[in-house]
Amino acid sequence: MCGIFGATEQERFLTLYDLNQKRGNFATSLCLIDRKGDMHVHRWSGAVDISQIKRILDSTKEKIILYAGHTQAPTSVKRKYSIETAHPFNIQHYTVAHNGVLTNFTELKEMFDPKWKNPVDSSIIPFMCTMYEEEYPDCKNIDAIINSLGKLEGTFGLWIYDSNLNTMFLARCGSTVFVDKINNAFSSVKFRGSEALDEGVLYQLTPEGITSIGLFDCDSPFFP
């Protein structure tokens, strides 16, 4: 079990970080997106005290417009911490943090790259997005994400950041993701004022709120 969370306001983000610490103490990541669209990633082995997170935020010189994070409880056979197996995972302009288990990870590797070495199932998601763009030139960024999500089997709650679009996307299938659509906050753990995202729907987070922008095939045991 892992936790994903994020917000456009620092204090709300810290509250959500505190809520999600219990979902994984194997590794922690902090992702800060500035107004230029650049993502600044901090990773740690194990749990991190909230005071340390505050020090990072207070020392950041860039104007941050979105805070996102991940707390990891590993589901793969690999248990030794390394940066390569720690969320988020980045390929080109796609960055992904994921909670859940992809039951067809082996099949996805065979389909997209039989030589894939990373043992963490989440790692292949941003690669899938780039492959859809490369193989189908008419496939736009959002279509690449939707096509990739439709190939996933099992359970997932995730955020995907596209630095080309400077946009954060959210989706779930089986795993929990709760959002405050007006105040731009999301979390694997339910929080005050939040509601569950619908399964099989791709959402985007904008300054105006969190809105749905497309549908994808959802192979969830909880999906009707």
Side-chain angles (χ1 to χ4, degrees):
M1 182 172 65
C2 299
I4 63 167
F5 50 97
T8 54
E9 193 271 325
Q10 180 173 309
E11 287 305 315
R12 184 173 287 111
F13 172 75
L14 290 171
T15 299
L16 297 178
Y17 170 67
D18 191 47
L19 286 175
N20 280 273
Q21 284 191 75
K22 63 183 179 182
R23 291 185 63 91
N25 57 13
F26 179 77
T28 305
S29 64
L30 169 66
C31 307
L32 308 176
I33 301 172
D34 64 31
R35 55 189 171 187
K36 296 179 181 179
D38 296 327
M39 175 178 282
H40 310 271
V41 179
H42 304 267
R43 295 182 177 89
W44 297 269
S45 173
V48 180
D49 189 83
I50 197 168
S51 62
Q52 186 173 352
I53 299 292
K54 288 181 179 179
R55 285 195 295 271
I56 294 288
L57 298 179
D58 291 341
S59 64
T60 301
K61 297 179 181 180
E62 295 84 1
K63 172 65 175 178
I64 303 303
I65 62 172
L66 179 60
Y67 305 82
H70 185 275
T71 52
Q72 185 179 11
T75 55
S76 68
V77 294
K78 186 176 180 66
R79 289 296 186 270
K80 185 177 180 180
Y81 174 82
S82 72
I83 292 179
E84 289 73 22
T85 59
H87 296 244
F89 298 99
N90 170 259
I91 302 291
Q92 296 184 24
H93 56 95
Y94 293 105
T95 303
V96 175
H98 163 239
N99 163 50
V101 178
L102 302 183
T103 56
N104 65 334
F105 181 41
T106 300
E107 289 81 357
L108 292 174
K109 289 188 293 183
E110 289 298 318
M111 183 182 304
F112 289 92
D113 185 355
K115 297 181 179 180
W116 193 258
K117 299 298 183 182
N118 197 312
V120 181
D121 53 2
S122 319
S123 65
I124 202 168
I125 300 174
F127 180 72
M128 292 168 61
C129 293
T130 62
M131 289 299 293
Y132 271 114
E133 285 190 0
E134 292 176 5
E135 293 187 14
Y136 304 97
D138 294 333
C139 185
K140 306 301 181 183
N141 300 47
I142 294 175
D143 294 327
I145 293 174
I146 288 175
N147 288 337
S148 298
L149 294 178
K151 290 292 185 182
L152 306 181
E153 296 179 5
T155 60
F156 59 86
L158 54 77
W159 59 254
I160 300 177
Y161 180 68
D162 185 336
S163 60
N164 277 0
L165 298 178
N166 191 12
T167 301
M168 177 70 78
F169 298 94
L170 305 171
R172 81 177 187 99
C173 185
S175 297
T176 59
V177 180
F178 298 95
V179 299
D180 181 338
K181 292 184 178 180
I182 303 301
N183 294 308
N184 287 339
F186 62 90
S187 167
S188 293
V189 180
K190 188 174 178 61
F191 58 100
R192 185 175 181 179
S194 67
E195 60 184 88
L197 286 185
D198 290 331
E199 295 186 277
V201 180
L202 181 65
Y203 294 81
Q204 69 176 1
L205 190 159
T206 68
E208 289 73 34
I210 299 172
T211 56
S212 60
I213 58 170
L215 304 175
F216 61 89
D217 292 333
C218 183
D219 181 40
S220 165
F222 309 109
F223 194 72

